[in-house]
Structure formats: structure tokens, C-alpha cells
Amino acid sequence: MPPRVNKGRSSSSKVGPFQPGAERTRPTCRPLHCARAERSDTSPGFCLRRNHFHRGTFLYLPSRRPSGLSLQSTDYARKEVDAFRGFQQGDPVDDLGAQLRQARTEASVTLASVAARSCYSASHLSNVEAGRRAATPDIVLAYARALGEGDVNRRQVLGLAAGVVGPVVAGELIRAGFTAALDGRGAEEDWRERVDQYGRDYMAVGAAVLQVRLANDLVILQQHLDTPHMWSHAARALVTYGKTTPNPAEAIRWYDLAATAADRSDDLGVRVWVRGRAAIALAYEGAALPTARRYADQALALSDRPSLGRVQALMAGAHVAAGRGDQADAIALDTEARRVFDHVASPDGEISDTAVPPWRMATFRSMLYARLGMPEPGSEAREEADRTRPAGLPRFATHIELHRGLTMAKAGDKAGGVMYARRAWDALPAERRSQSLALMLREVERA
């Protein structure tokens, strides 16, 4: 039996409390999804339940959970989450699509650019803007990312993102946390394997998908940080989470948190690896080079024992030197990194963010020599990367293609290099692209 609700009243009147026997009709807003409904507020504002803005009237649905449903009732929880997301087609979106269109056109951003940052086509986004389709949270975030890359004032769309995505994420994480607690998740060995799996998934799964899954587990993991081993698992997971974020500034906040967690683990290897991985992540992208150098210096100061963390810290230092035009220092650090790598290289077939097999080391070096404008060693590194890289990693194959474009641009053929790099970018499905690739493409365009 559908819940009983009150009729909506005019904007000049207040919505009264629920009364038994009130007319049954499809609700516009649920208190679970709309704070205004809980307050019986008729003021204008955004309602996530139906992706529209209040115009002073709505129907009130009591927030009581139907009797006979337990916390373990996954069907009920799924229905609530689906309703929360507002995924039902046909729901009116009123002003939200129009506001997204206004923000996009004012920023001179095309629908194709927004489509490239979501799993939706430009035609679907056009329907969203026209109010014929619902503006789901991932669509709103795609607009926020696209407008951010255009370096424009995106305050309006970020406000929408906060209103739409914030409650969804909170609700999803709370639900996931309780579900996991009921399942009894928490064994140290289980968490080690889970974090290892995230490292493997990072190499092939899109950042948006991985971020949601990882966020769920991080909420749960923080409740089990009662041993040094658990802190080490958390530190590695936080680094991976940082890699899924949309910009370097946000990533740095997660890397800093990961470093603090690693220090709590009392595991020297993890402390070095976390800082080395954060350093190469930023330096390889050419982003926040002073911070990348800080992480690299910390990793190298912690221990001089050969390790993958030390290899990545040395390669990060080489990229930082290349960024400031110091060719001699960059080559010296690359030479030292290769010397250490010979002792600690990961197996050829290992595919994980925590591993550095020969193909990945060659990828680091390919970008380094493209930046230095040294075609011969760069070509050797690219050939090794292409020859040794396992199948099924198209994102990393695109890295190498962008390096070739940068090499062409550095050699004086900027138009040809940019065209080559853009063709490689366009050939990769949008859901496979990453922030690293976007920053590399921008570097080619600015060479």
C-alpha cells in the first residue's frame, strides 16, 4: 500500500503535519531526501528527490520506516537510494537543467567537452539541459569538472554539485558502513587484500567508479584503525583515493593524510612508498612541483635502502629537475633511479598501482626525456614500454602516445605534436581518461 500524504498547499500556506486518511498521491518530496520537507518549509530551494527547485509547494511524506522492515532489508534500502539519486526517468527537472546550460554557455564550454567527462552522450546532456531527462549527480559533477578546466567562475554549478552530490555520497556511505558492520567486515588480512585489489583496479577501472567504491571502504576502515597494520592499509588506500580526485590540489590533501597515516603504521617501507608514490604522481603530471619535491625529499631522507618507494622518489626528483630546466640533474637522478630499480623491480606481468615493473619504469622515463627534449633516450624508453606493457591497459598506451606528441612539439613541430596528442586522446574512451592524461595533453598544447 502506498504511503499516505498530504496535498501540497499554496505557497502562502504552511504544509501541515501528516494526518491519517489524507489523500494518497505520488509524493513530490520525501523528508529523507529534502531538509525543507522535514521543516515544513515552503521557501524556494533545490530538492534532490525530483531534481527541481521548490516554488513554495510540495507534498509531505512522513519519514517513518514502514513497519516490518529491518535494517538488513536491502530491497527497501535499494529503493530509498534509487529514489535519493532521482534516477527515475520522466521526473521533471525544472530549473536544474536550465541552470547547467546557463553555467556552461557562460563559460563557453561545449556539450562535447562535458560529455567527455561523463558516461553520457552530448545528445543526452542536451536533453538534460532541456528538462527532458534527469540531472543525476554524476552529470552535475561532470559539468563542475568541465567548467573547472575552462578556468572560469564555476560557483553556480559547484553549488548545485554540493546540493546534489553531497547528500547522495553521505547517504551511500552511511548505508555502506552499516551494511559492512552487520557483515562483520574488519579482519586485517581481508583489508590487506582489499587494498591490494584497489591497487590492481586502479590500472584498468575508471577513476569515478573506483572513487565511489573506495570511499565506501575508507569510511568503514577508519573505524578499525586500532593496530599499526591497519594504519598501513589505510595509508595505501588514501594514496589510491588521491589518484582518483579531479585536480592536484585535492590530491595533495589526501597524500598528506596518507603520509600521516603511514607514520602511524611504524612501517618504514610504507612510509617511504607513500611519499615516493605521491611524489611521482605529481611530478609525472607536471603539477605542484614544489610539493612533489617535498614528498621526494622526505622519502629519500627516511631510508637509503633500495625500494620501490625510493625508485619513485628519485624519478620524481628527475621530473622536478626537468621542470626547472636542469638537464644534468634530471639525467643524474634518472641514472640513480635505474640503479636502484635493477635491485627491486616488480615482475613483468604484475599490474598494480603499488608495482613498478619494467614497462612502468619505461613510461616514467619516456615522459622525462620528452620533457627534456631528448628524442633518442625517449624513443628507447617508449619502445620498451610498448614492448613490455601487458595487454588490456589502453590508458597507459595513450600515455606513450602523448609523450610522442610532446616530443614532436619540443622538436619544433608544435602543430603536428598537438594534432598527434589530440588524436590519441580522442581515441581513448572518455570513461578511461584520467587527470594525468588531461594534464599531459595540456602540456603538449603549451609546449
Side-chain angles (χ1 to χ4, degrees), residues 218 221 225 227-239 254-267 270-271 274-275:
L218 283 170
L221 179 56
L225 299 175
T227 68
H229 287 302
M230 294 302 291
W231 279 107
S232 70
H233 301 329
R236 293 191 297 129
L238 287 166
V239 170
W254 291 101
Y255 296 154
D256 284 341
L257 188 59
T260 302
D263 292 342
R264 295 280 186 95
S265 75
D266 293 329
D267 186 326
V270 171
R271 296 174 68 197
V274 163
R275 289 168 170 86

Side-chain angles (χ1 to χ4, degrees), residues 217-229:
D217 273 338
L218 283 170
V219 168
I220 303 160
L221 179 56
Q222 68 180 341
Q223 303 174 40
H224 300 280
L225 299 175
D226 48 4
T227 68
H229 287 302

Side-chain angles (χ1 to χ4, degrees), residues 2-282:
R4 298 173 177 175
V5 299
N6 275 354
K7 277 188 171 182
R9 303 185 181 181
S10 66
S11 58
S12 61
S13 61
K14 296 289 185 178
V15 176
F18 171 72
Q19 297 292 336
E23 180 180 345
R24 299 171 184 172
T25 184
R26 187 182 181 189
T28 301
C29 302
R30 296 171 180 261
L32 177 61
H33 314 128
C34 177
R36 288 178 169 81
E38 297 229 308
R39 297 195 307 266
S40 297
D41 186 355
T42 58
S43 61
F46 184 73
C47 169
L48 178 61
R49 170 65 181 89
R50 288 170 62 86
N51 288 330
H52 74 285
F53 280 77
H54 286 289
R55 298 186 183 278
T57 178
F58 55 80
L59 305 179
Y60 180 81
L61 180 69
S63 59
R64 296 193 298 270
R65 176 168 52 86
S67 60
L69 287 175
S70 65
L71 288 174
Q72 295 94 331
S73 178
T74 56
D75 288 339
Y76 177 70
R78 187 179 299 111
K79 290 176 183 178
E80 289 298 315
V81 170
D82 288 344
F84 194 13
R85 287 172 169 163
F87 281 167
Q88 297 180 8
Q89 292 191 357
D91 280 357
V93 296
D94 293 347
D95 295 341
L96 181 53
Q99 291 201 35
L100 290 175
R101 181 176 62 249
Q102 178 183 351
R104 178 182 60 77
T105 54
E106 288 179 354
S108 299
V109 174
T110 65
L111 274 174
S113 297
V114 181
R117 289 153 182 82
S118 70
C119 59
Y120 298 95
S121 66
S123 61
H124 181 86
L125 296 179
S126 178
N127 285 329
V128 169
E129 292 186 354
R132 293 186 291 269
R133 292 289 185 270
T136 54
D138 54 327
I139 289 177
V140 179
L141 278 182
Y143 274 76
R145 287 193 294 269
L147 269 60
E149 288 189 5
D151 196 24
V152 298
N153 186 349
R154 54 177 180 155
R155 185 175 304 166
Q156 178 183 8
V157 74
L158 283 177
L160 295 176
V164 176
V165 179
V168 171
V169 172
E172 285 285 329
L173 296 184
I174 292 169
R175 182 186 62 81
F178 274 97
T179 301
L182 291 169
D183 290 343
R185 189 189 303 173
E188 285 187 8
E189 188 65 21
D190 290 343
W191 279 110
R192 184 190 65 77
E193 175 54 34
R194 185 173 293 270
V195 173
D196 287 345
Q197 185 61 50
Y198 279 122
R200 293 188 287 269
D201 289 346
Y202 171 79
M203 308 300 285
V205 178
V209 174
L210 188 65
Q211 187 183 63
V212 172
R213 288 169 40 202
L214 187 50
N216 286 343
D217 273 338
L218 283 170
V219 168
I220 303 160
L221 179 56
Q222 68 180 341
Q223 303 174 40
H224 300 280
L225 299 175
D226 48 4
T227 68
H229 287 302
M230 294 302 291
W231 279 107
S232 70
H233 301 329
R236 293 191 297 129
L238 287 166
V239 170
T240 303
Y241 189 85
K243 285 293 296 174
T244 69
T245 55
N247 62 74
E250 185 177 352
I252 288 169
R253 291 194 289 270
W254 291 101
Y255 296 154
D256 284 341
L257 188 59
T260 302
D263 292 342
R264 295 280 186 95
S265 75
D266 293 329
D267 186 326
L268 184 59
V270 171
R271 296 174 68 197
V272 173
W273 182 85
V274 163
R275 289 168 170 86
R277 181 67 186 96
I280 190 61
L282 294 172

